Amino acid sequence: MSQKPCFFFAADQRYFPYTCLAARRVLDLSGAVDGFILHTGVIPSDDRSAGERLLDARIGIIDVTKFMEATNFNRGTHPTLATYIRLFADQLPEFEPYDRIAYSDADVLFNRSIADLCKTPLNAPLLAAHDEQSYFDAKYRQHLPMQPGAPKFNAGVLLFNMPLLRAEGLLERTRQLASEHVYGMDQGALNVAFEGRWQTMHPFWNVMTNYSSQIPFSRCYARHFAWGKPWEPRPVGVEVDAMAVYRDLAKGTPWAGRFSRSWPVKRGLMKNFGRKFDAISGILLNDESANAGRDSTPKRSAPSSPITPTSRCWQFSIPSG
């Protein structure tokens, strides 16, 4: 059955410029795929004009402030309502025609067509990437009502299977949990609501700089700058070639000066040294009982076959080059 996909980013006023750059990168790589930037708050006119020129009317820039405010969603102490836009993908009228919806954080830079992500065989309501940090420190299970051994995903890149998601009411459940301020805010709520109902994404689609920098930027399908941001004064963990892409994207915009540094800041030597002891430190940090902390999922080597479902894990082939 043919799928009708789209992708979207969510932003507030502060992140709107970087969202436009990330969206332009997707356009450059992906061809004809419907896309949206959904934002809250009043975007400064200079930023709005620059974003519209950069995206050349190929992406819908939609103000969802009134929609979000009308939901009376209780975000608690979170500084921005825009973070929770993705939790309303089943209610936003812009998404009604689509059955596959890819979401990305603004601090993700793609190296491969997002259409390829949308074409991933998907037999669950959600496709997401394992959160590597949780392998070394699984204390999130102490704070979230999840089963012993339950894996955790990072919500920076997601693919929603909308028919299944709507049928099971999973985002409605997520909103309820988020409004109750579960540990981990929106990401924690997503993990609880989708426990046992998500499929493992190929790890190259969400390569996080804080725990996956051993995979070089050139091999990533999408680099997630979960440590330093490329536009920050100290862009810790941002590779030189990634910064070059941002400079090229930002040319001719009011934001070009934010990427003018000649060399990104590398990780500190102590952090690199400490990474060698991640496994040991994870054992020490994880004070769950031996049985509760043990994941019963069998370990599998990566096969050469495409993604196919098994009982609790999902196989994928590791590309070469």
Side-chain angles (χ1 to χ4, degrees), residues 91-107:
Q91 293 188 355
L92 286 157
E94 289 79 12
F95 293 152
E96 288 179 4
Y98 302 100
D99 46 23
R100 291 284 182 94
I101 300 178
Y103 164 81
S104 174
D105 281 352
D107 59 354

Side-chain angles (χ1 to χ4, degrees), residues 28-62:
D28 291 343
L29 297 170
S30 304
V33 181
D34 292 350
F36 303 89
I37 292 176
L38 307 181
H39 72 84
T40 56
V42 178
I43 306 299
S45 58
D46 289 349
D47 284 345
R48 178 89 186 198
S49 297
E52 290 173 347
R53 288 194 304 271
L54 183 69
L55 300 172
D56 195 26
R58 294 172 56 192
I59 283 183
I61 301 176
I62 302 171

Side-chain angles (χ1 to χ4, degrees), residues 133-201:
Q133 184 173 354
S134 68
Y135 284 113
F136 304 114
D137 183 4
K139 286 186 177 180
Y140 66 91
R141 296 195 194 108
Q142 297 177 356
H143 304 284
L144 294 173
M146 300 174 71
Q147 294 298 314
K152 179 175 177 284
F153 60 82
N154 178 272
V157 180
L158 302 171
L159 180 64
F160 293 127
N161 183 341
M162 296 307 293
L164 283 179
L165 186 150
R166 289 188 174 109
E168 299 183 25
L170 292 171
L171 282 183
E172 182 178 0
R173 171 64 174 153
T174 304
R175 292 190 292 270
Q176 177 186 346
L177 289 163
S179 66
E180 295 170 358
H181 313 309
V182 299
Y183 176 81
M185 296 181 288
D186 54 312
Q187 184 164 268
L190 282 162
N191 271 275
V192 174
F194 283 85
E195 183 182 358
R197 299 298 296 135
W198 61 282
Q199 178 176 320
T200 301
M201 179 184 290

Side-chain angles (χ1 to χ4, degrees), residues 98-282:
Y98 302 100
D99 46 23
R100 291 284 182 94
I101 300 178
Y103 164 81
S104 174
D105 281 352
D107 59 354
V108 174
L109 188 64
F110 280 78
N111 273 339
R112 181 169 174 172
S113 170
I114 205 168
D116 294 339
L117 174 62
C118 293
K119 292 175 184 175
T120 301
L122 181 55
N123 300 298
L126 177 69
L127 185 71
H130 281 275
D131 189 332
E132 288 189 66
Q133 184 173 354
S134 68
Y135 284 113
F136 304 114
D137 183 4
K139 286 186 177 180
Y140 66 91
R141 296 195 194 108
Q142 297 177 356
H143 304 284
L144 294 173
M146 300 174 71
Q147 294 298 314
K152 179 175 177 284
F153 60 82
N154 178 272
V157 180
L158 302 171
L159 180 64
F160 293 127
N161 183 341
M162 296 307 293
L164 283 179
L165 186 150
R166 289 188 174 109
E168 299 183 25
L170 292 171
L171 282 183
E172 182 178 0
R173 171 64 174 153
T174 304
R175 292 190 292 270
Q176 177 186 346
L177 289 163
S179 66
E180 295 170 358
H181 313 309
V182 299
Y183 176 81
M185 296 181 288
D186 54 312
Q187 184 164 268
L190 282 162
N191 271 275
V192 174
F194 283 85
E195 183 182 358
R197 299 298 296 135
W198 61 282
Q199 178 176 320
T200 301
M201 179 184 290
H202 191 292
F204 281 21
W205 282 115
N206 187 356
V207 183
M208 292 174 277
T209 50
N210 57 344
Y211 271 82
S212 304
S213 67
Q214 66 270 23
I215 302 172
F217 173 72
S218 60
R219 294 192 64 202
C220 302
Y221 300 165
R223 171 66 96 196
H224 185 178
F225 298 102
W227 203 333
K229 309 305 179 188
W231 48 86
E232 291 178 342
R234 292 178 57 84
V236 178
V238 180
E239 299 96 331
V240 174
D241 45 355
M243 189 65 82
V245 173
Y246 273 104
R247 287 199 197 94
D248 186 63
L249 291 168
K251 283 180 181 177
T253 73
W255 322 310
R258 305 176 196 184
F259 306 96
S260 61
R261 301 166 195 86
S262 59
W263 196 265
V265 178
K266 298 293 185 181
R267 294 179 183 215
L269 292 174
M270 289 303 296
K271 187 65 178 181
N272 282 330
F273 181 76
R275 281 293 311 277
K276 299 182 184 298
F277 299 94
D278 276 342
I280 298 174
S281 63

Side-chain angles (χ1 to χ4, degrees), residues 298-320:
K299 302 297 183 290
R300 297 176 181 265
S301 59
S304 59
S305 60
I307 300 173
T308 54
T310 62
S311 59
R312 284 194 57 198
C313 68
W314 298 86
Q315 300 174 334
F316 47 80
S317 56
I318 300 293
S320 60

